[in-house]
């Protein structure tokens, strides 16, 4: 035996023991898109891709492995984008077949686009799901929400035993609550997906009950939630924070969860969210249902006035309520967001001033989430350069590129080729991933620079399997799928596989549910491995509408861009100033006096039931209601209800 052959045979023996492991998108790669996989324990060996006949279509030497901080394993990144023939291929390292089949097609992201949008149909409240659309996941009607009570936190007199009707909407997540703040970002994200990719989505069929009508299915689905949101606006323009039971239901089907439902809270967070979304909806639905669009525009303007007049109505979770709080979102950006969306449809100058405050927050760019809408207004402004002034457009773009460039930079020497960092792995980390993708898609739309599109594809690949757990986080798609999400219908329906098309929350270093699970699955784990595919794990394995929406946006935009060969044209006038709305805060001048008294009474009543915050109280001076703020040194200052200092 020569020395060389001894070396070769011992190398082969070593390979047999330390087989290379492949981490890859398990669903599909686009024919003309970026194609990457990550390989651990393979450096120095030869990797080949073979087609069904065994013909080698790609071969490379596996490069040195690199770390990726959120993973315990180092990996070598392989790029096989040069393979542009649709088909199914097997991966070999040396002679050994590894990983999962590589599927390449022009429509690789279409099934996941449809699936992640169909999820919203499965989440519909107040309706039965017919077998024709839901297949084995057909179910009875739950939560009619036609006699909803007012919780005292709404400011309504609970002794009157009034009820109101607010049916439809999507269940928020694995629970059956409906929350305005979270509906806001979700609905905006889906509306943008449509608005920016009309050619693709005008004809995409989701097989839902409205599929036969003339409205694009994605808009039919969104309408289900908008109808509910509309019903959450109180007569005075303020919007209730949420509609839930007082406590979470057990793990039962919707029709078995029969506890009384309440409107809970009424505050600026929900009201700004509502106002922004309704303004965008007014624009998008105008060609399909002008009456509805008109009512969206009016509801938006009315909500905005309420929010201006009640800036201190901050949602506080009542003591007797245990459902999700969605408390603490930033309201200054909700205000800018609303003014931006309303400016787009009215052209009213009074709305522009607040946009200027964006300048000061440029370096505070924060990824969008249910609690921060700053990037949402940035998306709207940056993609409408014909409507907004250059200074505002430049600021919005700066915000987007500030974040997008940071994500792209994180790809340097990154073994998995995934632009996520350790700090991303908290409750709902897959939505952080998908929302980063949404920023990157905007950077691509605005620059046409492929590095942003490629980084977005890397994030889609991550969620679909290129992660250290070799798991597809989208139920129903991929080889190793999530099987036990914290999702009440999936747990209670007696069907083994969960409802398809749901993005699981994902790894969470915090393991906030460790006590419910009886195990701390994050202990001694790398960030991207702190995940538990168990129904107990609401902090790593729940599903949620605001997690599915950015994923649908991400894969839907990527698919649409490759299918149509173009991106959203930001230079086309996206909309005209078509609405004339009453935008001035304060009661209409002609009836000023009567309304003031009425408002005063309403406000005072609210206050007694719902104190503002420590050191603040509302006082009546003459016929005016003022906010009195006492600081810790005892100084007292007075403000009017629009936040302006009086003395
Ligand atoms: O099922 C609830 C889930 O939808 C929420 O996101 C989560 C956090 O608020 O709470 C879940 O409910 C759990 C409760 O908080 C604690 N006891 C166990 C409940 C079900 O797992
Ligand atoms: O997504 C929310 C996450 O950011 C919070 O940390 C967490 C705890 O407040 O709540 C998450 O939202 C849950 C909501 O409160 C109730 N429905 C299920 C949501 C997803 O877990």
């Amino acid at each position: 035996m020569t020395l060389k052959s001894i070396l070769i045979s011992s190398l082969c023996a070593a390979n047999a023991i330390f087989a290379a492991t492949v981490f890859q998108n398990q669903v599909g790669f686009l024919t003309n898109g970026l194609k990457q996989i990550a390989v651990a324990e393979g450096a120095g060996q030869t990797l080949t891709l073979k087609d069904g006949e065994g013909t080698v279509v790609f071969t490379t030497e596996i490069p040195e492995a690199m770390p990726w901080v959120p993973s315990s394993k180092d990996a070598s990144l392989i790029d096989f984008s040069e393979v542009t023939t649709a088909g199914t291929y097997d991966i070999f390292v040396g002679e050994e077949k590894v990983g999962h089949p590589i599927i390449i097609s022009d429509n690789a992201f279409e099934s996941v686009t449809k699936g992640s949008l169909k999820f919203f149909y499965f989440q519909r409240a107040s309706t039965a799901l017919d077998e024709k659309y839901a297949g084995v996941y057909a179910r009875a009607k739950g939560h009619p929400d036609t006699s909803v009570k007012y919780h005292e936190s709404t400011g309504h007199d609970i002794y009157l035993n009034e009820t109101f009707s607010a049916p439809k909407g999507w269940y928020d997540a694995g629970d059956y609550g409906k929350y305005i703040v979270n509906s806001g970002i979700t609905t905006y994200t889906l509306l943008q997906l449509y608005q920016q990719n009309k050619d693709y989505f005008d004809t995409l069929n989701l097989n839902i009950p409205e599929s036969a009508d003339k409205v694009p299915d994605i808009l039919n689905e969104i309408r289900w939630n908008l109808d509910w949101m509309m019903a959450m606006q109180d007569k005075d323009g303020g919007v209730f924070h949420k509609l839930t039971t007082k406590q979470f239901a057990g793990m039962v089907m919707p029709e078995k969860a029969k506890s009384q439902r309440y409107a809970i809270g009424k505050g600026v967070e929900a009201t700004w969210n509502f106002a922004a979304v309704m303004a965008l909806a007014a624009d998008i639905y105008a060609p399909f249902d002008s009456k509805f669009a008109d009512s969206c525009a009016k509801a938006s303007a009315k909500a905005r006035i309420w929010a201006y007049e009640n800036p201190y109505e901050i949602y506080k979770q009542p003591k007797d309520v245990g459902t999700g709080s969605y408390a603490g979102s930033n309201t200054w950006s909700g205000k800018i967001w609303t003014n931006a969306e309303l400016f787009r449809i009215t052209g009213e100058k009074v709305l522009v001033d607040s946009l200027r405050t964006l300048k000061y927050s440029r370096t505070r760019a924060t990824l969008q989430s249910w609690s921060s809408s700053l990037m949402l207004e940035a998306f709207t402004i940056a993609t409408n350069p014909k409507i907004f002034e250059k200074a505002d457009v430049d600021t919005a773009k700066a915000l987007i590129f500030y974040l997008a460039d940071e994500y792209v930079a994180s790809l340097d020497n990154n073994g998995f080729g995934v632009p996520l960092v350790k700090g991303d792995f908290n409750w709902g980390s897959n939505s952080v991933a998908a929302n980063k993708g949404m920023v990157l898609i905007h950077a691509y739309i605005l620059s046409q620079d492929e590095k942003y599109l490629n980084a977005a594809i890397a994030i889609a690949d991550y969620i679909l399997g290129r992660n250290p757990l070799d798991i597809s986080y989208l139920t129903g798609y991929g080889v190793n799928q999530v099987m036990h999400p914290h999702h009440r219908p999936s747990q209670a329906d007696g069907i083994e596989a969960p409802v398809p098309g749901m993005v699981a929350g994902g790894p969470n270093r915090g393991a906030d549910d460790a006590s419910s699970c009886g195990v701390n699955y994050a202990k001694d784990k790398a960030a991207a491995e702190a995940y538990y595919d168990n129904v107990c794990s609401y902090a790593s394995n729940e599903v949620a509408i605001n997690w599915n929406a950015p994923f649908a946006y991400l894969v839907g935009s990527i698919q649409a861009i490759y299918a149509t060969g173009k991106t959203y044209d930001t230079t086309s006038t996206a909309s005209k100033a078509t609405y004339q709305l009453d935008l001035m805060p304060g009661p209409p001048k002609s009836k000023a006096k009567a309304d003031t008294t009425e408002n005063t009474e309403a406000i005072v009543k609210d206050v007694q039931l719902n104190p503002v915050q420590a050191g603040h109280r509302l006082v009546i001076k003459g016929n005016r209601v003022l906010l009195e703020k006492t600081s810790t040194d005892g100084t007292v200052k007075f403000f009017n209800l629009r936040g302006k200092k009086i003395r």
Side-chain angles (χ1 to χ4, degrees), residues 284-604:
I284 292 180
Y285 284 83
F288 303 102
D289 184 344
S290 59
K291 219 175 122 207
F292 173 68
D294 205 51
S295 65
C296 290
K298 289 192 175 115
S300 169
K302 197 172 171 188
R304 174 180 168 279
I305 291 176
W306 187 92
Y308 264 101
E309 290 184 336
N310 297 276
Y312 301 108
E313 288 295 336
I314 303 291
Y315 179 74
K316 207 167 146 252
Q317 176 94 324
K319 290 211 165 51
D320 59 337
V321 174
T323 51
S325 79
Y326 287 118
S329 55
N330 73 36
T331 50
W332 62 266
S333 75
K335 176 170 157 182
I336 304 173
W337 181 24
T338 297
N339 285 343
E341 300 296 343
L342 274 172
F343 179 72
R344 225 183 123 224
I345 62 167
T346 61
E348 283 291 344
K349 287 277 175 283
V350 299
L351 295 159
V352 181
D353 289 349
S354 86
L355 301 184
R356 299 288 144 78
T357 59
L358 264 177
K359 281 198 186 83
Y360 306 108
S361 33
R362 171 178 163 175
T363 51
R364 288 198 282 138
T366 313
L367 183 65
Q368 69 276 6
S369 69
W370 65 262
S371 62
S372 176
S373 64
L374 172 64
M375 295 311 293
L376 307 184
E377 56 256 22
F379 295 154
T380 290
I381 296 167
T383 53
N384 287 285
K386 283 206 164 167
I387 292 175
F388 294 93
E389 283 179 25
K390 189 172 179 302
D392 299 318
V393 173
D394 288 348
T395 307
K397 281 188 179 172
L399 284 166
I400 293 168
F401 287 105
Y402 183 87
L403 290 182
D405 287 331
E406 186 182 297
Y407 305 156
V408 169
S410 75
L411 290 170
D412 283 351
N413 300 321
N414 176 326
F416 276 73
V418 172
L420 296 175
V421 298
K422 199 173 159 191
D424 292 336
F425 293 91
N426 300 316
W427 195 319
S429 63
N430 280 332
S431 74
V432 173
N435 274 313
K436 281 187 163 187
M438 187 175 184
V439 172
L440 287 161
I441 295 282
H442 278 89
Y444 177 62
I445 291 173
L446 294 165
S447 69
Q448 301 295 313
D449 186 336
E450 281 202 354
K451 72 180 180 202
Y452 299 117
L453 181 60
N454 287 342
I457 292 175
I459 291 177
D461 285 354
Y462 164 82
I463 293 173
L464 296 173
R466 195 164 93 218
N467 55 62
L469 298 177
D470 184 29
I471 191 169
S472 163
Y473 288 112
L474 185 69
T475 59
Y477 296 83
V479 182
N480 296 329
Q481 305 171 7
V482 169
M483 286 303 285
H484 310 286
H486 187 88
H487 180 247
R488 282 166 173 73
S490 295
Q491 175 70 6
D493 62 7
I495 298 162
E496 198 188 342
V499 168
M502 310 193 292
V503 179
N508 175 4
R509 293 173 306 157
D512 311 62
D513 47 14
S515 65
S516 150
C517 289
V519 51
N520 184 342
Y521 52 83
K523 192 163 182 277
D524 304 324
K525 291 280 177 56
E529 296 165 21
Y531 168 75
Y532 195 23
D533 185 10
N534 188 303
V535 66
C536 71
S537 184
Y538 52 80
S540 85
N541 212 28
E542 189 163 354
V543 304
I545 55 172
N546 67 316
W547 304 343
N548 250 71
F551 177 76
Y553 176 92
L554 176 64
V555 291
S557 299
I558 295 170
Q559 179 63 64
I561 287 167
Y562 281 96
T564 63
K566 61 183 189 202
T567 61
Y568 181 57
D569 178 7
T570 61
T571 61
S572 70
T573 305
S575 78
K576 286 180 234 83
T578 36
Y579 293 94
Q580 285 193 335
L581 301 167
D582 180 8
L583 292 165
M584 292 315 286
K589 283 192 183 69
S590 54
K591 298 193 286 158
K593 209 160 181 203
D595 275 2
T596 308
T597 337
E598 207 177 284
N599 285 348
T600 307
E601 277 165 12
I603 289 161
V604 171

